[in-house]
Amino acid sequence: MKIAVITGASSGMGREFVYALDGKGYDELWVIARREERLKELQTQCNTRVRVMALDLMKRESFDTYKAVLEEVKPEIQVLVNAAGFGLFGTFMEMDLDQQLDIIDINDKALTAMCYLSVPYMAAGSDIVNLASNSSWQPVPYINVYGASKAYVMSFSRALGVELKTKGIHVMAVAPGWIKTEFFDHAIHDDTIKYFDRFYTAKQVIDKAMKDLAKKKSVSILGLPVQAQVKLIKHLPVSLVMKIWCGQQKK
């Protein structure tokens, strides 16, 4: 059985990845998220058979469940998409500690575990897609923990790609700019972050990611302005980059 596995599939980027992978020749799409009712909607919206796995990836027992299903079914995972994640905007010391630790658990720990458990079921030609961010490239005050968590995703994905190259397994990080999804409903709880230069839709990001995946790129970045920004940041002192960012946010 050839499958695609998508985490964070109940909304936003994960859901758009499900739509993008539907009808691409997989026997099943395995969709993972906490909200079971949202996942079941996908069963009626997709042409490909959808296996619903209502799991909370912040809980380690969820990985035991995923591992057990893999051992039972023994599928060939042709694509793993790690799109589950969230962030918070605000001052580090003024935000809830547990919520900030949850960011690390879902953005980093869960992504790492999903890769570790899935790779043994992959063959040459398989792909891993990890959702990073434009925040991956530099420290980001007032999006501190989220930015750091996405820097981990970028570093981890690039290094894992090198390690898995001998197996013929490709790894790509998707590093978009601002995207108007449910992410903002959870991230914004005050007016700490005021400046957003431009927004893209989740579909625009995923359409570009799918094209880049076909080209076996290691990083997918939508939009010439974002691409130019990433190149510029690499040549500027980190302190200056953070100063510019804080100036944009009136800090």
Side-chain angles (χ1 to χ4, degrees):
M1 178 188 291
K2 296 181 179 181
I3 68 168
V5 180
I6 306 98
T7 73
S10 62
S11 65
M13 301 284 284
R15 199 175 187 87
E16 285 297 334
F17 265 116
V18 174
Y19 296 148
L21 294 169
D22 182 30
K24 300 298 185 185
Y26 306 106
D27 295 309
E28 285 188 354
L29 302 177
W30 289 18
V31 295
I32 299 175
R34 290 179 299 171
R35 294 176 288 186
E36 186 173 15
E37 69 283 357
R38 287 281 194 94
L39 298 179
K40 286 183 176 179
E41 289 175 5
L42 292 169
Q43 291 179 316
T44 65
Q45 296 171 348
C46 294
N47 296 313
T48 308
R49 187 165 60 246
V50 173
R51 181 185 292 249
V52 168
M53 302 182 72
L55 301 174
D56 183 348
L57 296 183
M58 286 189 286
K59 298 179 179 179
R60 291 208 174 181
E61 54 265 32
S62 294
F63 304 118
D64 294 332
T65 301
Y66 178 63
K67 181 180 179 182
V69 176
L70 288 175
E71 291 174 346
E72 177 185 356
V73 178
K74 294 180 174 57
E76 179 185 328
I77 302 175
Q78 294 192 315
V79 180
L80 167 65
V81 177
N82 283 304
F86 78 102
L88 293 173
F89 299 167
T91 305
F92 174 69
M93 291 303 298
E94 294 177 357
M95 290 189 292
D96 181 73
L97 174 60
D98 286 338
Q99 286 186 313
Q100 295 190 81
L101 293 177
D102 287 346
I103 292 173
I104 300 170
D105 284 342
I106 192 70
N107 291 6
D108 296 338
K109 290 183 179 180
L111 178 145
T112 303
M114 288 298 297
C115 289
Y116 187 88
L117 295 172
S118 299
V119 167
Y121 294 88
M122 292 181 158
S126 294
D127 295 289
I128 296 174
V129 180
N130 292 330
L131 188 59
S133 167
N134 197 33
S135 300
S136 303
W137 310 105
Q138 71 283 318
V140 191
Y142 308 105
I143 315 181
N144 189 347
V145 176
Y146 173 78
S149 75
K150 292 303 184 178
Y152 171 89
V153 173
M154 181 62 69
S155 180
F156 172 77
S157 299
R158 285 175 150 175
L160 184 63
V162 172
E163 292 187 25
L164 296 181
K165 188 174 182 179
T166 57
K167 298 179 181 293
I169 299 172
H170 170 248
V171 182
M172 184 178 78
V174 181
W178 299 114
I179 315 165
K180 196 63 176 176
T181 65
E182 287 184 18
F183 172 91
F184 280 88
D185 297 335
H186 300 288
I188 297 176
H189 65 280
D190 59 24
D191 63 349
T192 300
I193 302 300
K194 302 178 177 67
Y195 174 79
F196 305 96
D197 53 355
R198 63 183 58 81
F199 280 99
Y200 296 99
T201 67
K203 187 178 186 305
Q204 286 176 312
V205 175
I206 274 52
D207 286 348
K208 177 67 161 59
M210 293 301 291
K211 292 177 183 178
D212 289 340
L213 189 63
K215 297 175 183 177
K216 299 299 181 182
K217 290 191 175 183
S218 61
V219 180
S220 177
I221 304 173
L222 172 67
L224 291 176
V226 181
Q227 294 171 11
Q229 179 185 344
V230 171
K231 290 181 180 179
L232 179 62
I233 284 172
K234 293 178 180 180
H235 298 286
L236 296 177
V238 171
S239 59
L240 177 58
V241 173
M242 289 193 291
K243 184 177 180 179
I244 293 171
W245 162 258
C246 289
Q248 292 172 330
Q249 307 306 332
K250 311 298 183 186
K251 301 295 182 186

